[in-house]
Amino acid sequence: VELDLGSNSLGSKACAALDEMISSPATELRELNLQNNDIDDEGIATLTKAFADNVTLVEVNLGLNPKVTPSGWQIFFTCLRNSPTSIGFLDFVTCLSSSSIETLNIGQNNITDKVLATLGDALANNATLRALDFSSNVRRPNSITAAGWRSFFDCLQGSKSALQEVTFRGCGINEEELAVVANAMKNDSRFVMLDLSDNPQLNIAAWRHFFATCFQSPKSSLEGIFLCKNFWEGADELMADLAGALAYNKTLEALDLSENPSISEAGWSHFPHHLCNKSSIDSMYESNHTLNYLGSQELPPELETLLNLNENDKREVARQKILRYQLVHGDTHMQEFLKMKVEVLPNAISWLGRHRSWTGPKKNGHSPLYHLLRSMPSLFASKQTAQAAGVKRKQKSQEVAL
């Protein structure tokens, strides 16, 4: 069951009415939107108690309720612990011993370093919350600093936190704060999705550091990242750094660069080489076979083709690229196979001609297989040579028998 009460100016009295419904053992409520409702500290305290008694809610939106003070948020976040604890001056002793909330939106609110530390400490003991949205928590006096973000991510290191997705859309973060986020993504493999859209205030140097730190780390597990409405001056040059950082990345599938009109065809041209390095079969095999989405904008045909190829079974993508770009144009690259040991060749020939999906001009890889065999006549003996070899084998077997 979903209940959308957003932008209704409910206030604290309505929160008291919601308490009975949310905490009822019979409720089947799973999604609750209370965004932009003039909720204050009294209201958040009432909701905190209700959430503590609820075991069905999985998604809660409390964004744009600026009347809740940092003290009110501290009380709420303390209740995200999956263990009993004291709630401070409101004396709530029973907390979310088995919280079911998986998605929480706290965007456009009064979040400070102290509040963030409480949230980090709470999430370190929370095994259910997977997605957290900080959108539009813009910079203001006493707002979150780089030290606050560092403390938050430090709390999660080595904890049982289930947090996987974080949204910083339109937060106005600065270069130092972006570096903190980059290091968190680099060192903590729990994160799979990150949204940094609508932060155009960041300079090129900050983004370059972010790309190199996040995407080249073997510990990073990011599968999706949103960078919409971020790049203006120098966007094409920055795309060269981004594409290069992704060259050997094995996890990122979606990189949303929508609504960045400053990226021209010159900027997009940096990606194909890293998705399919055609300099050799080995380099093509080591290319990026994971990234398959760059946004909703129109892309150059070659780049679109490579992204579509990367949507296929990862065990097959490299083969398809090699067949398509290396082995269908004749004997030029067949020398790579000539260097193989004789005992390896049967496997190579089987790999080349096996009946799997083939996107080239000939089905089932038969055209490349033909070129391979044509370039290696030594694999085939003439009739006379074969007969002579057969006589020798027969004579040798007779001598052994004697």
Side-chain angles (χ1 to χ4, degrees):
V1 177
E2 177 182 354
L3 180 59
D4 188 349
L5 296 173
S7 301
N8 277 297
S9 302
L10 297 178
S12 298
K13 291 183 179 180
C15 290
L18 285 170
D19 180 4
E20 184 177 352
M21 179 192 68
I22 295 172
S23 58
S24 170
T27 186
E28 297 181 359
L29 189 63
R30 292 182 60 80
E31 298 181 20
L32 177 62
N33 181 11
L34 295 175
Q35 185 177 31
N36 190 24
N37 267 307
D38 292 328
I39 297 172
D40 57 15
D41 283 359
E42 182 183 353
I44 202 70
T46 301
L47 291 173
T48 298
K49 181 178 181 299
F51 292 149
D53 295 330
N54 180 280
V55 294
T56 63
L57 274 171
V58 295
E59 183 171 339
V60 176
N61 187 344
L62 290 169
L64 195 55
N65 283 291
K67 290 184 178 180
V68 180
T69 69
S71 296
W73 285 118
Q74 281 188 277
I75 300 226
F76 177 75
F77 292 150
T78 303
C79 271
L80 285 175
R81 291 174 179 268
N82 280 149
S83 58
T85 185
S86 173
I87 313 285
F89 64 87
L90 288 179
D91 198 27
F92 290 141
V93 178
T94 304
C95 292
L96 302 181
S97 58
S98 58
S99 170
S100 57
I101 298 176
E102 298 177 5
T103 302
L104 178 63
N105 185 333
I106 53 171
Q108 294 179 274
N109 283 304
N110 293 317
I111 309 297
T112 64
D113 282 357
K114 187 175 182 180
V115 173
L116 196 61
T118 303
L119 175 58
D121 184 58
L123 291 183
N125 296 283
N126 180 290
T128 56
L129 192 71
R130 300 184 180 279
L132 187 59
D133 191 341
F134 288 103
S135 290
S136 300
N137 276 303
V138 295
R139 299 184 64 79
R140 58 173 64 90
N142 300 318
S143 64
I144 305 172
T145 67
W149 289 120
R150 189 176 294 109
S151 175
F152 172 75
F153 286 116
D154 284 348
C155 286
L156 303 182
Q157 281 283 346
S159 72
K160 69 176 184 179
S161 171
L163 190 63
Q164 296 179 325
E165 305 177 8
V166 188
T167 298
F168 296 105
R169 183 180 288 263
C171 281
I173 58 177
N174 62 26
E175 287 73 18
E176 184 181 3
E177 291 161 355
L178 182 65
V180 171
V181 174
N183 285 328
M185 300 300 113
K186 169 187 174 181
N187 296 316
D188 199 331
S189 60
R190 83 182 71 236
F191 296 106
V192 297
M193 195 286 290
L194 177 66
D195 190 343
L196 287 167
S197 296
D198 202 12
N199 283 288
Q201 71 284 347
L202 293 162
N203 60 40
I204 289 179
W207 283 119
R208 281 176 174 160
H209 177 268
F210 177 82
F211 297 154
T213 303
C214 277
F215 300 139
Q216 295 180 339
S217 169
K219 291 183 180 180
S220 175
S221 297
L222 281 174
E223 297 175 7
I225 183 166
F226 295 81
L227 298 176
C228 308
K229 297 194 288 188
N230 275 333
F231 310 120
W232 298 97
E233 185 177 352
D236 286 343
E237 180 183 353
L238 192 56
M239 290 304 102
D241 296 285
L242 175 54
L246 291 171
Y248 302 106
N249 184 281
K250 305 298 183 185
T251 62
L252 194 70
E253 297 183 9
L255 170 60
D256 196 340
L257 294 170
S258 302
E259 300 181 83
N260 285 296
S262 293
I263 304 176
S264 70
E265 189 167 343
W268 297 120
S269 69
H270 296 294
F271 287 92
H273 173 72
H274 298 292
L275 296 180
C276 186
N277 186 338
K278 302 173 187 176
S279 57
S280 70
I281 289 179
D282 286 341
S283 63
M284 189 173 290
Y285 185 81
E286 294 297 327
S287 297
N288 185 307
H289 306 311
T290 307
L291 185 67
N292 58 67
Y293 183 77
L294 285 174
S296 58
Q297 65 282 330
E298 185 176 352
L299 298 171
E302 182 187 12
L303 179 54
E304 192 72 56
T305 296
L306 291 170
L307 292 173
N308 290 337
L309 277 175
N310 278 3
E311 291 181 354
N312 296 323
D313 182 347
K314 301 310 172 190
R315 295 172 298 180
E316 183 70 7
V317 172
R319 174 178 178 267
Q320 289 189 1
K321 289 180 181 178
I322 292 171
L323 292 175
R324 173 182 285 267
Y325 295 105
Q326 289 277 19
L327 304 180
V328 297
H329 301 300
D331 304 339
T332 306
H333 298 285
M334 292 301 172
Q335 297 301 316
E336 297 284 342
F337 288 89
L338 297 179
K339 301 173 185 177
M340 296 179 179
K341 295 180 179 179
V342 175
E343 57 268 25
V344 177
L345 273 176
N347 290 328
I349 293 172
S350 173
W351 175 87
L352 191 61
R354 71 174 181 256
H355 291 256
R356 298 289 296 273
S357 64
W358 160 238
T359 58
K362 298 291 184 181
K363 293 183 178 180
N364 300 322
H366 289 167
S367 179
L369 180 59
Y370 166 78
H371 287 296
L372 172 62
L373 300 180
R374 184 174 181 273
S375 67
M376 303 180 72
S378 59
L379 290 176
F380 304 93
S382 66
K383 183 177 180 180
Q384 293 80 4
T385 305
Q387 288 176 342
V391 171
K392 289 182 179 180
R393 283 195 296 270
K394 185 176 181 180
Q395 290 177 344
K396 187 173 182 180
S397 63
Q398 290 175 345
E399 290 174 358
V400 171
L402 292 174

